[in-house]
């Protein structure tokens, strides 16, 4: 199991959230659709949360964004109750498969000007990490 965490100031992120070109470089169409129905401040807060979740996900994959991962390789959308769901594509999917990561669970929380995300990997059944041994047991 791996854990990744990220903390972000919403006000510092606001410039990216408001810039049309930057938004399309960082976010998928599905992420933008979810945010576009919200008012300006809520839209910035939502996109900051999604950005923070992408960073935490990259950390559990063992890479930084721009270090073999693209922003749009990781998609964060809400389930029917609003809980964040992670979809991995391209390089992110290949990294997860190589590490035998079945899925990534996360929690995102907003407070004042801050957003925090904690991401946790769920190993594939039968992987050394699932058996409780982690990477050390595989060595």
């Amino acid at each position: 199991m791996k854990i990744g965490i990220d903390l972000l100031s919403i006000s510092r992120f606001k410039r990216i959230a408001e810039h049309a070109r930057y938004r399309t470089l960082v976010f998928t169409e599905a992420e933008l659709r979810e945010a576009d129905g919200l008012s300006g401040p809520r839209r910035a807060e939502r996109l900051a949360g999604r950005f923070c979740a992408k960073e935490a996900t990259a950390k559990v994959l063992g890479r930084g964004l721009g270090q073999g991962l693209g922003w749009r390789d990781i998609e964060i959308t809400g389930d029917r109750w609003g809980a964040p769901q992670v979809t991995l594509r391209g390089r992110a999917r290949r990294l997860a498969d190589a590490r035998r990561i079945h899925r990534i669970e996360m929690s995102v929380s907003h407070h004042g000007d801050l957003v925090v995300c904690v991401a946790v990997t769920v190993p594939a059944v039968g992987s050394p990490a699932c058996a409780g041994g982690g990477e050390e047991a595989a060595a």
Side-chain angles (χ1 to χ4, degrees):
M1 175 187 344
K2 300 274 186 184
I3 298 172
I5 187 167
D6 197 63
L7 177 70
L8 180 66
S9 165
I10 297 166
S11 60
R12 291 189 66 190
F13 183 78
K14 189 176 178 185
R15 191 181 96 233
I16 291 171
E18 292 175 347
H19 193 283
R21 182 168 178 272
Y22 291 156
R23 279 196 315 263
T24 60
L25 291 174
V26 173
F27 298 104
T28 66
E29 289 180 23
E31 291 167 328
L32 292 172
R33 255 193 322 275
E34 286 185 350
D36 283 344
L38 303 171
S39 67
R42 284 284 297 132
R43 182 180 321 117
E45 181 181 318
R46 170 67 59 90
L47 291 175
R50 297 313 193 224
F51 184 89
C52 192
K54 288 174 183 259
E55 288 278 0
T57 300
K59 290 174 182 176
V60 299
L61 292 173
R63 293 285 196 299
L65 289 159
Q67 297 176 333
L69 286 178
W71 292 108
R72 296 166 54 99
D73 289 341
I74 300 168
E75 180 178 76
I76 312 295
T77 55
D79 69 9
R80 67 185 185 133
W81 306 108
Q85 295 183 163
V86 181
T87 302
L88 303 175
R89 294 187 178 88
R91 296 166 286 188
R93 179 76 265 156
R94 287 189 294 277
L95 279 169
D97 290 346
R99 288 166 173 71
R100 301 196 63 195
I101 296 169
H102 175 63
R103 71 178 186 277
I104 297 172
E105 296 287 339
M106 66 177 44
S107 180
V108 178
S109 185
H110 303 263
H111 180 74
D113 184 50
L114 298 175
V115 61
V116 64
C117 178
V118 176
V120 178
T121 61
V122 177
V125 174
S127 71
C130 192
E135 291 178 18
E136 297 78 23

